[in-house]
Amino acid sequence: MQLNLKNPLVFFDLETTGINIVSDRIVEIAMLKVQVNGKEELRSYRINPEMPIPRQASEIHGIYDEDVKDAPTFKQVARDLARFLEGCDLGGFNSNKFDIPLLAEEFIRAEVDFDMQKRRFVDVQTIFHKMEKRTLEAAYKFYCEKDLKDAHSAEADTVATYEVLKAQLDRYAELENDVNFLAKFSTHNRTVDFAGRIVYNDKDVEVFNFGKYKGVSVEEVLEKDPGYYGWMMNGDFPLYTKKVLTNIKLRRLKG
């Protein structure tokens, strides 16, 4: 089944120094852009993370310090990446919880204003887990009846993710071939900040999703406990979370 697209959809996968979206960095990014007419364009970049790659990470994705010592930094390719992604929705495997928050962090560090709020996100893993609850390799075997070779290489995982989504649409009649539907279906919570620290409640109000103020309106907390803002801004939270929190604070002050 070909995807029914209103905007180009870019499937992407990151290989990184680790799984902490605040402190870890990208070492490889692969992107498969699917145009509205079905035309495909694949790009891959090796990235110098400007930090040592832990051995346990290298043993998973096969990328070592020597492999990226002469590669460009994320900041050097950030504007090219932003241009490639402009006007596109995004798709990935576990992308809502990891790849998108980490990519947002890298763009902020590179001082490139890439607006994530204007696009839809289709997380193929969430669809898979709601339907079958397995890994990407198992999904590829189950839906595409093929073994996933070179698993944990960004390019192989990216292409496999695209093929799995098309096969999911073929298999499940209840899935609509529409990115709006797929984005909503592949989202567990309506997150405000990608990392899930701030989410929308059923009344479309931003509330904290952790800690002592879980479920409480962000604006209410900022009014009653103004020191909480400073604690979060100085804490080990993603830059994008801090940006969202600051925007809510500024909006409240202006209102």
Side-chain angles (χ1 to χ4, degrees):
M1 178 179 287
Q2 290 299 313
L3 296 182
N4 181 18
L5 302 177
K6 293 181 176 64
N7 300 314
L9 180 59
V10 175
F11 293 90
F12 77 104
D13 185 69
L14 306 178
E15 302 302 337
T16 66
T17 59
I19 59 174
N20 187 316
I21 65 174
V22 175
S23 59
D24 282 306
R25 301 291 186 267
I26 296 171
V27 298
E28 185 176 44
I29 178 170
M31 301 176 293
L32 175 63
K33 180 185 285 190
V34 184
Q35 299 284 2
V36 174
N37 63 6
K39 182 181 178 182
E40 301 170 12
E41 180 180 356
L42 181 63
R43 287 190 184 184
S44 298
Y45 295 81
R46 285 283 174 90
I47 305 292
N48 185 332
E50 301 181 273
M51 64 178 288
I53 305 174
R55 176 160 291 276
Q56 59 268 35
S58 294
E59 288 174 351
I60 292 173
H61 51 55
I63 303 171
Y64 293 82
D65 292 333
E66 182 68 19
D67 300 320
V68 294
K69 65 181 180 62
D70 297 322
T73 64
F74 187 88
K75 188 169 186 176
Q76 290 173 320
V77 301
R79 295 193 183 280
D80 185 44
L81 294 177
R83 282 191 293 269
F84 186 75
L85 296 171
E86 186 61 34
C88 299
D89 296 319
L90 301 177
F93 198 87
N94 193 35
S95 48
N96 284 355
K97 289 185 177 180
F98 181 71
D99 300 79
I100 287 171
L102 183 54
L103 185 62
E105 293 293 293
E106 291 280 33
F107 274 125
I108 292 175
R109 279 190 288 265
E111 299 179 331
V112 172
D113 187 15
F114 184 73
D115 190 350
M116 290 283 198
Q117 296 291 350
K118 292 183 178 179
R119 53 206 81 240
R120 300 172 186 84
F121 309 115
V122 178
D123 192 329
V124 174
Q125 186 194 61
T126 302
I127 296 174
F128 180 38
H129 284 180
K130 285 185 175 182
M131 294 297 188
E132 303 295 342
K133 297 188 167 95
R134 295 210 178 103
T135 63
L136 176 57
E137 290 91 335
Y140 196 61
K141 182 72 172 180
F142 181 83
Y143 290 109
C144 304
E145 299 181 347
K146 293 184 284 186
D147 292 321
L148 178 55
K149 298 179 180 178
D150 300 321
H152 299 297
S153 74
E155 191 166 299
D157 289 355
T158 297
V159 174
T161 299
Y162 172 47
E163 292 184 25
V164 167
L165 178 58
K166 291 192 293 182
Q168 287 174 329
L169 288 168
D170 283 329
R171 180 177 291 265
Y172 303 117
E174 61 267 40
L175 292 181
E176 296 178 17
N177 188 357
D178 176 80
V179 170
N180 276 329
F181 174 88
L182 295 172
K184 290 178 182 177
F185 190 86
S186 62
T187 301
H188 287 294
N189 291 316
R190 294 188 300 144
T191 60
V192 183
D193 67 333
F194 301 126
R197 301 294 189 179
I198 301 173
V199 300
Y200 292 106
N201 64 14
D202 56 3
K203 296 180 180 178
D204 290 329
V205 174
E206 298 114 331
V207 299
F208 285 111
N209 195 36
F210 73 100
K212 63 180 181 179
Y213 291 123
K214 185 173 182 178
V216 181
S217 162
V218 174
E219 289 196 3
E220 181 182 338
V221 173
L222 293 177
E223 181 178 353
K224 293 184 177 180
D225 187 358
Y228 201 70
Y229 173 81
W231 174 75
M232 286 192 65
M233 295 302 290
N234 292 318
D236 188 24
F237 291 95
L239 294 175
Y240 197 81
T241 299
K242 295 177 181 179
K243 180 179 179 180
V244 167
L245 183 63
T246 298
N247 287 341
I248 295 173
K249 180 180 181 181
L250 292 174
R251 184 189 68 200
R252 186 178 71 87
L253 293 174
K254 291 177 181 178

